[in-house]
């Protein structure tokens, strides 16, 4: 229980740090870029929305910095991020919620898949030291882990969409489709997601394989693995319950650290594929200097990453009895 | 079975690990396994309530005894132990050794016991096998080796330990360190550290000589004395 | 717990510790050891060579590239030819020249960010561990927060407000946000060092904290610090390229990320100039790969268990054939275990090492045999061999002899099981 409370506390602190960074960054920049944006808004939107944006960027300076900070915190808690310029007159929160399912479906599923597959391959590679899997894969994945995601995305488009014409080159669905839960639409969305998903999978799986392989190798020298073999257990059982289950624990912790990297890559992959998710919208807002939308999306990304890490923590607690005990 | 502090899988309960072992070697039912597990825990005087504990919830001594219990699940003929007491304090070491010895006499299994602590085994073992750099240096009855070590290395090992009976004898270490196995000296492997080294020691590999039923790898015992 | 061959120091023989002079010697020899370890590792050599090529390109671009990278003097969208090794861009610039000139900025960013992030990692990590208490709590919390915050989006947010800012800002932002992973590792490494004898000795000598950290702690962490640098450099290469690619770097600068930005804007892939987009990506991947390979090699060097070693039987000394022992059936009833002429070898970097050398013994029913000796004398290995605990995935292999347990040959059983 203490473990859960401590982790939750940590996430609150992290989230607070992100919100504060969001508040301070525009104020610390020279030449107040937000002011330029505000002048473009004026007259287009209702006063309440304008006020929320003013608070967010500190444009209307009759409030003290501290007062502005608390008003901003209040707005964030109530989900008020102002109005998007790019998708005027949508509220930022609405845009974010629209983009979210696409990203969760693409990046979320791919990341989990990459983690599970990579962990499995890493375990088997370590188990068969010096085998084909073990001698071929690590060097290959050391190299692919250095691939820029977006470049691989470009290559994938060039090869599979342009040269071979097998798959659509961009977007999340055909624009002629009606969006909805029909077989035709879902199937088309799946077809559109194959290339971006493969891109993320190929570039992110290497890291999981390498760390899992190395963890397993060090766990294999532990006495309990020797002991399990001495007990005459089947190799399968030793590999899963004794070596694998212990080796995956540091990998789950590593998940927290590597996730930021995967998300960064995914943002660029969405951008290259014009995939209508959070990352694409984030970069659109950057391009259009739509700061309200940009900051809302940034917080969304932070929350998504933190939630995923929390899930990894829960998995750790499930697999490792030591974390469950009060220490 | 070797046994050390970390020989229990930290993520499984004692019961689960015992069940694993039973399943690998027999087709006992769940209830039978449970009953047998309780029985062997009692043998090593651990309260069976600890069956469903995780290893980190047990003390070091209990973990060692749980390991031994696990080895006893199938009334073995041979129990192999690798420094089972190395992480325990002296009192716990003694009580564990006494318990092992008792179980051995009761159940009649043979024991191979690896340790670097000569004083620990002096009261419990029948025979001693002294190894040096991968080879047998000396193999004798424990009593005989303690009374009259044949190999200078055995002698050195004894000197390095405080005797319980003896008066405040000065403790002498063995100078130098074991040879690099990839780069062995010619002739006797102990020669570079041996206080009694002679020119012929480094001339050729030394065979094992038989001296009154003991085996020793030292040219000084060439004539069986 | 006892590790085969490389045991910890035994209680039997403890060489008298001479802390101060010994540490100096170790620190002096470490660079030499490191150098030998690197040159022996294939991944490290490959990574170092790649890096060297890029360094040469970055220093002498003018001598290698035929053209001014910005000059729009050729026909646009030419295919590869002898004049234009990689063709030309939509603006009529020579792609190969752009690539060569772009090396400098990409490399400078990687090295500068790597250095800055490493310095911060060392500063935060080591002082957190060394100061302890509240200072450690605060520094660790900051480290963890930055570790889990998605850095790249944060950098984008900052860059969005400071468009087209210069190289300096880029390096500072990347460095200031990229140190957390290294700091965490350095902290735990320092914590494990704190109680070592030579540091205790320095403390007893009354050395100042700063002195101890700089002259005693840091030299022992050389390989981890180098690894931190390599990891940070890899992160810098990829992150900077990503930023430049979405147009948040200086679009007029010469770098691979910027090339990709223009290639994407010029629809290079659709307009039949795939090399314009492929070539800079290959360079980024190769430079990143160089850092990743070196980093991975360093991991292997600092933890030898990760290396794959195969026992080369050809190098083993031939075991002289002994007359075969009595057939398994003829063993006395009273014998539980009979070990005959058993030899076990481990593969190491320096070739096979024989840890158990022609050992024979017998064990009677109910007998208590103790095996004694210093760490590394082969006693644990002997046990592992008897308990059939050697061989993949565990290290060590039986190379000769028999182990008869109640008349059955365990070594043969093992061979058949495989």
């Amino acid at each position: 229980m203490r473990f859960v409370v401590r982790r939750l506390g940590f996430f609150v602190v992290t989230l607070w740090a992100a919100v504060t960074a969001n508040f301070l960054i525009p104020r610390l920049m020279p030449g107040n870029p937000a002011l330029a944006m505000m002048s473009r808004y004026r007259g287009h939107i209702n006063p309440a929305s304008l006020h929320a944006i003013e608070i967010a960027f500190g444009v209307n300076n009759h409030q003290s910095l501290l007062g502005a900070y608390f008003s901003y915190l209040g707005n964030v808690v109530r989900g008020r991020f102002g109005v998007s310029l790019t998708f005027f007159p949508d509220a930022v929160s609405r845009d974010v919620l629209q983009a979210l399912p696409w990203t969760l479906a693409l990046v979320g599923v791919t990341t989990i898949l990459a983690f599970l597959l990579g962990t499995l391959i890493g375990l088997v590679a370590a188990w068969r030291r010096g085998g084909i899997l073990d001698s071929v894969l690590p060097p290959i994945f050391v190299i692919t882990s250095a691939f820029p995601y977006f470049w691989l995305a470009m290559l994938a488009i060039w090869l599979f969409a342009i040269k071979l014409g097998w798959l659509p080159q961009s977007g999340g669905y055909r624009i002629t489709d009606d969006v909805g839960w029909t077989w035709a639409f879902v199937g088309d969305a799946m077809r559109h997601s194959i290339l971006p998903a493969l891109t993320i999978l190929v570039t992110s799986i290497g890291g999981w394989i390498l760390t899992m392989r190395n963890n397993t190798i060090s766990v294999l020298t532990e006495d309990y693995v020797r002991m399990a073999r001495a007990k005459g257990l089947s190799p399968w059982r030793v590999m899963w319950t004794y070596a694998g289950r212990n080796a995956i624990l540091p990998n789950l912790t590593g998940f927290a650290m590597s996730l930021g990297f995967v998300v960064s890559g995914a943002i660029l992959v969405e951008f290259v594929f014009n995939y209508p998710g959070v990352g694409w919208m984030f970069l659109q807002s950057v391009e259009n200097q739509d700061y309200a939308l940009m900051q809302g999306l940034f917080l969304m990304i932070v929350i998504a990453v933190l939630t995923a890490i929390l899930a990894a923590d829960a998995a750790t607690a499930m697999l490792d009895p030591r974390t469950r005990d009060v220490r | 079975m070797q046994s050390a502090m970390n020989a229990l899988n930290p993520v499984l309960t004692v019961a689960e690990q015992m069940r694993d072992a039973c399943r690998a070697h027999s087709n006992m039912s769940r209830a039978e396994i449970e009953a047998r597990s309780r029985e062997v825990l009692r043998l090593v005087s651990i309260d069976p309530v600890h069956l469903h504990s995780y290893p980190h919830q047990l003390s070091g001594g209990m973990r060692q005894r749980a390991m031994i219990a696990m080895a006893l699940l199938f009334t073995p003929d041979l129990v192999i132990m690798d420094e089972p007491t190395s992480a325990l304090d002296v009192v716990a070491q003694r009580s564990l050794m006494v318990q092992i010895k008792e179980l051995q006499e009761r159940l009649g299994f043979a024991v191979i016991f690896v340790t670097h602590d000569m004083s620990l085994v002096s009261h419990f073992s029948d025979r001693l096998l002294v190894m040096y750099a991968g080879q047998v240096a000396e193999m004798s009855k424990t009593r005989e080796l303690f009374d009259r070590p044949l190999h200078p290395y055995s002698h050195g090992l004894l000197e390095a330990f405080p005797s319980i009976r003896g008066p405040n004898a000065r403790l002498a270490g063995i100078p130098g360190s074991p040879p690099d196995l990839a780069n062995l000296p010619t002739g006797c492997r102990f020669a570079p550290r041996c206080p009694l080294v002679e020119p012929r020691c480094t001339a050729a590999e030394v065979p094992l000589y038989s001296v009154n039923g003991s085996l020793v790898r030292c040219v000084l015992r060439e004539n069986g004395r | 717990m006892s590790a085969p061959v490389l045991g910890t120091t035994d209680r039997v023989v403890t060489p008298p510790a001479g802390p101060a002079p010994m540490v100096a010697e170790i620190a002096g020899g470490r660079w030499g050891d490191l150098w030998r370890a690197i040159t022996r590792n294939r991944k490290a050599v490959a990574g170092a060579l790649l890096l060297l090529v890029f360094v040469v390109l970055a220093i002498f671009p003018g001598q290698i590239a035929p053209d001014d990278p910005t000059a729009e003097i050729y026909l646009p969208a030419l295919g590869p030819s002898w004049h234009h090794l990689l063709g030309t861009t939509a603006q009529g610039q020579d792609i190969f020249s752009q690539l060569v000139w772009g090396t400098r900025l990409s490399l400078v960013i990687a090295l500068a960010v790597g250095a800055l992030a490493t310095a911060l990692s060392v500063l935060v990590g080591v002082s957190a561990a060394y100061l302890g208490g509240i200072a450690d709590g605060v520094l660790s919390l900051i480290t963890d927060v930055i570790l889990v915050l998605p850095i790249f989006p944060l950098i984008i947010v900052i860059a969005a407000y400071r468009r087209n800012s210069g190289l300096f800002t880029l390096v500072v932002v990347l460095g200031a946000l990229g140190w957390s992973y290294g700091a965490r590792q350095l902290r735990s490494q320092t914590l494990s060092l704190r109680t070592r004898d030579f540091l205790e000795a320095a403390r007893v000598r009354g050395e100042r904290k700063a002195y101890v950290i700089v002259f005693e702690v840091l030299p022992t962490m050389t390989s981890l610090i180098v690894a931190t640098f390599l990891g940070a450099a890899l992160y810098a290469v990829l992150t900077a390229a990503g930023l430049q690619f979405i147009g948040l770097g200086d679009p007029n600068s010469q770098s691979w990320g910027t090339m990709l930005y223009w290639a994407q804007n010029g629809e290079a892939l659709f307009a039949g100039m795939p090399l314009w987009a492929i070539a800079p990506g290959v360079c980024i991947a190769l430079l990143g790969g160089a850092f990743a390979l070196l980093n991975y090699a360093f991991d292997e060097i600092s933890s030898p268990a990760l290396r794959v070693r195969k026992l080369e039987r050809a190098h083993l000394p031939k075991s002289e054939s002994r007359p075969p022992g009595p057939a398994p059936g003829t063993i006395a009833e009273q014998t539980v275990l009979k070990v005959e002429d058993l030899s076990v070898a481990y593969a190491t970097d320096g070739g096979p090492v024989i840890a158990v050398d022609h050992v024979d013994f017998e064990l009677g029913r109910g007998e208590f045999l103790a095996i004694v000796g210093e760490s590394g004398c082969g006693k644990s290995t002997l046990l592992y061999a008897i308990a059939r605990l050697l061989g993949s995935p565990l290290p060590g292999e039986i190379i000769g002899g028999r182990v008869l347990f109640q008349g059955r040959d365990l070594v043969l059983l093992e061979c058949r099981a495989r």
Side-chain angles (χ1 to χ4, degrees):
Chain A
M1 214 43 222
R2 278 263 289 282
F3 173 72
V4 177
V5 172
R6 217 182 52 216
R7 288 308 280 176
L8 279 176
F10 171 69
F11 286 111
V12 171
V13 170
T14 309
L15 201 57
W16 168 79
V19 171
T20 309
N22 234 350
F23 174 78
L24 285 179
I25 288 169
R27 273 157 239 266
L28 291 175
M29 293 299 157
N32 202 343
L35 210 58
M37 179 187 70
M38 292 299 298
S39 60
R40 285 194 285 163
Y41 274 94
R42 221 170 290 280
H44 292 288
I45 53 180
N46 65 47
S49 301
L50 193 68
H51 188 61
I53 297 174
E54 280 171 355
I55 290 172
F57 297 99
V59 174
N60 227 343
N61 276 326
H62 45 67
Q63 240 181 338
S64 73
L65 194 65
L66 207 63
Y69 180 55
F70 282 111
S71 318
Y72 174 69
L73 281 186
N75 276 345
V76 167
V77 169
R78 278 171 292 176
R80 286 194 202 155
F81 296 99
V83 172
S84 161
L85 188 68
T86 320
F87 304 95
F88 188 78
D90 282 0
V92 165
S93 47
R94 208 188 107 118
D95 287 333
V96 173
L97 289 180
Q98 211 166 27
L100 195 59
W102 289 97
T103 296
L104 285 184
L106 175 70
V107 183
V109 171
T110 326
T111 305
I112 292 171
L113 213 63
F115 179 74
L116 294 179
L117 259 176
T119 303
L120 184 72
I121 296 174
L123 176 62
V124 174
W127 190 257
R128 305 204 176 283
R129 280 308 289 286
I132 297 171
L133 207 58
D134 190 42
S135 27
V136 173
L137 290 187
I140 290 180
F141 282 113
V142 169
I143 302 284
T144 58
S145 68
F147 279 0
Y149 284 63
F150 59 91
W151 175 66
L152 203 68
M154 289 165 83
L155 278 191
I157 292 177
W158 179 67
L159 185 63
F160 293 105
I162 300 177
K163 284 278 155 192
L164 298 172
W166 289 350
L167 292 161
Q169 46 177 278
S170 77
Y173 50 91
R174 260 186 309 231
I175 35 171
T176 50
D177 280 350
D178 293 321
V179 178
W181 286 110
T182 61
W183 284 113
F185 177 74
V186 172
D188 189 45
M190 295 281 267
R191 255 173 64 78
H192 276 81
S193 66
I194 292 176
L195 278 187
L198 271 183
T199 308
I200 298 175
L201 197 69
V202 166
T203 31
S204 61
I205 198 171
W208 308 128
I209 293 181
L210 292 178
T211 46
M212 185 62 185
R213 171 180 172 270
N214 291 1
N215 291 342
T216 309
I217 287 170
S218 56
V219 165
L220 281 179
T221 64
E222 293 282 346
D223 282 347
Y224 50 78
V225 175
R226 258 184 214 285
M227 183 60 205
R229 273 190 41 143
K231 281 197 292 191
L233 303 189
S234 69
W236 191 251
R237 178 88 184 152
V238 179
M239 181 171 97
W240 280 112
T241 331
Y242 288 77
R245 194 163 153 188
N246 282 291
I248 202 173
L249 296 174
N251 219 28
L252 277 171
T253 321
F255 183 77
M257 287 180 256
S258 314
L259 199 63
F261 213 67
V262 175
V263 166
S264 317
I267 289 172
L268 292 172
V269 170
E270 285 190 1
F271 174 72
V272 174
F273 281 99
N274 283 321
Y275 199 82
V278 173
W280 175 77
M281 194 179 265
F282 183 58
L283 293 183
Q284 286 300 307
S285 68
V286 169
E287 204 157 289
N288 297 330
Q289 312 199 4
D290 184 353
Y291 296 125
L293 182 60
M294 179 182 80
Q295 300 212 325
L297 285 164
F298 171 68
L299 278 186
M300 191 66 243
I301 294 170
V302 171
I303 292 171
V305 167
L306 290 186
T307 313
I309 295 173
L310 214 54
D313 273 358
T316 308
M318 238 159 61
L319 289 173
D320 188 354
R322 283 165 294 186
T323 55
R324 289 201 290 263
D325 279 9
V326 183
R327 276 283 164 92
Chain B
M1 310 285 143
Q2 90 267 30
S3 142
M5 285 305 266
N6 302 316
L8 289 172
N9 186 347
V11 299
L12 296 180
T13 62
V14 176
E16 283 169 319
Q17 300 188 43
M18 290 204 168
R19 203 178 304 142
D20 268 353
C22 291
R23 289 238 176 93
H25 296 285
S26 69
N27 38 15
M28 286 156 87
S29 72
R30 224 186 150 83
E32 280 169 346
I33 294 174
E34 173 96 15
R36 180 69 189 147
S37 304
R38 285 175 185 281
E39 206 177 315
V40 290
L41 277 187
R42 240 175 260 123
L43 267 180
V44 296
S45 42
I46 292 180
D47 189 327
V49 295
H50 290 299
L51 198 53
H52 296 283
S53 301
Y54 287 99
H56 68 275
Q57 295 163 325
L58 305 178
S59 72
M62 276 162 88
R63 262 182 267 175
Q64 308 285 17
R65 281 182 284 147
M67 281 306 308
I68 292 167
M70 208 169 289
L72 297 179
L73 278 169
F74 293 101
T75 44
D77 287 317
L78 171 64
V79 176
I80 301 174
M81 288 182 274
D82 186 4
E83 314 214 7
T85 60
S86 53
L88 300 178
D89 61 73
V90 185
V91 178
Q93 278 184 1
R94 286 279 151 197
S95 78
L96 188 71
M97 288 305 298
V98 168
Q99 200 155 26
I100 291 172
K101 189 70 188 169
E102 252 176 45
L103 286 168
Q104 189 214 359
E105 275 159 9
R106 186 134 59 103
L107 304 174
F109 52 78
V111 175
I112 302 180
F113 189 99
V114 160
T115 181
H116 56 234
D117 189 343
M118 291 280 267
S119 64
L120 193 65
V121 292
S122 58
H123 300 285
F124 301 102
S125 71
D126 304 321
R127 270 195 305 161
L128 272 177
L129 193 162
V130 179
M131 280 188 79
Y132 188 77
Q135 291 179 322
V136 176
E138 177 171 355
M139 181 151 60
S140 311
K141 293 240 155 49
T142 307
R143 247 338 67 226
E144 284 168 18
L145 192 140
F146 269 79
D147 289 343
R148 184 171 169 249
L150 296 172
H151 197 285
Y153 179 62
S154 314
H155 190 76
L157 283 180
L158 290 178
E159 293 273 286
F161 276 94
S163 163
I164 300 168
R165 289 164 299 169
N168 276 336
R170 205 174 55 88
L171 283 184
I174 305 171
S177 52
D180 179 2
L181 288 174
N183 198 4
L184 289 167
T186 52
C188 175
R189 295 180 182 181
F190 186 59
R193 300 167 70 190
C194 185
L196 307 173
V197 65
E198 294 177 15
R200 58 182 171 146
C201 292
T202 51
E205 283 267 333
V206 184
L208 274 173
Y209 297 105
S210 177
V211 181
N212 302 332
S214 302
L215 291 172
V216 61
R217 196 183 294 277
C218 180
V219 288
L220 297 175
R221 309 291 170 190
E222 208 173 0
N223 310 322
R225 278 181 293 113
Chain C
M1 200 178 60
S2 63
V5 183
L6 309 150
T8 47
T9 345
D10 241 309
R11 267 188 292 160
V12 182
V13 238
T14 315
M22 262 173 64
V23 170
E25 269 174 35
I26 292 167
R30 187 160 282 122
W31 287 106
D33 291 346
L34 210 58
W35 177 248
R36 262 191 302 282
I38 291 170
T39 48
R40 222 185 274 148
N41 189 306
R42 248 185 303 167
K43 294 189 191 78
V45 171
L49 282 180
L50 270 176
L51 194 59
L52 189 71
V53 169
F54 284 121
V55 169
V56 170
L57 285 183
I59 298 177
F60 308 107
Q63 277 69 31
I64 295 159
D67 296 306
D68 179 355
T70 49
E72 301 174 1
I73 45 176
Y74 300 107
L75 286 173
L78 289 177
S81 67
W82 270 117
H83 288 285
H84 307 289
L85 286 177
L86 299 172
T88 58
T89 69
Q91 286 83 32
Q93 301 142 318
D94 182 55
I95 293 175
F96 180 70
S97 301
Q98 284 201 327
L99 213 56
V100 172
W101 281 94
T103 311
R104 184 176 287 176
L105 190 60
S106 306
L107 196 65
V108 163
I109 290 174
L111 298 181
V113 173
L116 180 62
T118 307
L120 285 169
S121 299
V122 172
L123 194 68
V124 176
V126 173
S127 40
Y130 219 80
L131 296 175
I134 296 175
D136 182 23
V138 172
L139 287 175
S140 297
L141 182 67
I142 296 174
T143 309
D144 285 352
V145 165
I146 294 190
L147 198 60
V148 299
L149 271 185
I151 293 303
F152 187 65
L154 185 60
I155 292 173
I156 290 179
V157 168
I158 297 172
Y161 288 114
R162 293 205 62 166
R163 245 158 237 277
N164 308 338
S165 52
L167 176 66
F168 182 75
T169 320
L170 186 66
V171 168
V172 168
V173 171
L174 286 180
L177 292 172
W179 52 268
S180 53
Y181 184 66
R184 200 168 148 137
Q185 287 193 312
L186 284 161
R187 175 178 170 272
S188 54
Q189 175 96 2
T190 313
L191 274 181
S192 73
L193 278 176
R194 266 184 67 158
T195 49
R196 297 271 176 87
D197 287 345
F198 69 96
L199 289 188
E200 289 291 340
R203 213 164 305 152
V204 173
R205 287 204 307 273
E207 304 287 5
R208 295 214 329 276
K209 265 189 183 173
Y211 173 89
V212 174
I213 289 176
V214 174
F215 291 101
E216 308 270 350
V217 178
L218 291 187
T220 59
M221 298 200 292
T222 314
S223 64
L224 185 56
I225 293 174
V226 174
T228 304
F229 173 78
L230 293 170
L234 172 61
Y235 141 87
V237 170
L238 293 179
T239 314
L243 276 180
Q244 292 160 341
F245 172 63
I246 55 177
L248 288 176
D250 179 358
N252 300 316
S253 66
Q254 279 303 320
S255 76
W256 299 328
T258 321
M259 282 180 77
L260 281 168
Y261 168 72
W262 288 113
Q264 175 82 349
N265 273 8
E267 309 239 296
L269 295 174
F270 300 91
M273 297 171 279
L275 281 176
W276 188 11
I278 293 173
V282 169
C283 285
I284 295 168
L286 284 179
L287 180 59
F291 288 122
L293 278 173
L294 281 171
N295 199 357
Y296 193 71
F298 257 90
D299 236 22
E300 289 191 337
I301 289 166
S302 50
S303 51
L306 297 181
R307 259 165 296 164
V308 179
R309 298 198 204 85
K310 281 200 179 138
L311 200 57
E312 289 159 50
R313 282 171 180 276
H315 291 185
L316 288 172
K318 288 263 169 6
S319 56
E320 63 273 32
S321 53
R322 289 197 187 183
T330 62
I331 292 175
E333 271 297 291
Q334 285 314 99
T335 309
V336 177
L337 182 80
K338 186 167 164 65
V339 174
E340 275 180 14
D341 202 21
L342 187 70
S343 297
V344 179
Y346 288 98
T348 67
D349 287 342
V353 156
I354 313 239
V356 172
D357 197 356
H358 300 297
V359 169
D360 290 271
F361 70 90
E362 252 177 68
L363 190 66
R365 199 161 286 282
E367 194 182 5
F368 194 125
L369 174 74
I371 303 179
V372 292
E374 291 163 89
S375 287
C377 71
K379 53 191 182 349
S380 297
T381 305
L382 176 60
L383 277 204
Y384 295 154
I386 295 168
R388 291 196 283 158
L389 290 178
L390 299 174
S392 173
L394 305 172
E397 226 177 290
I398 295 176
I399 53 167
R402 298 199 294 178
V403 177
L404 299 170
F405 179 66
Q406 306 198 320
R408 280 180 306 154
D409 189 336
L410 299 181
V411 178
L412 271 176
L413 277 178
E414 182 79 346
C415 293
R416 263 185 229 132
R418 283 221 201 108

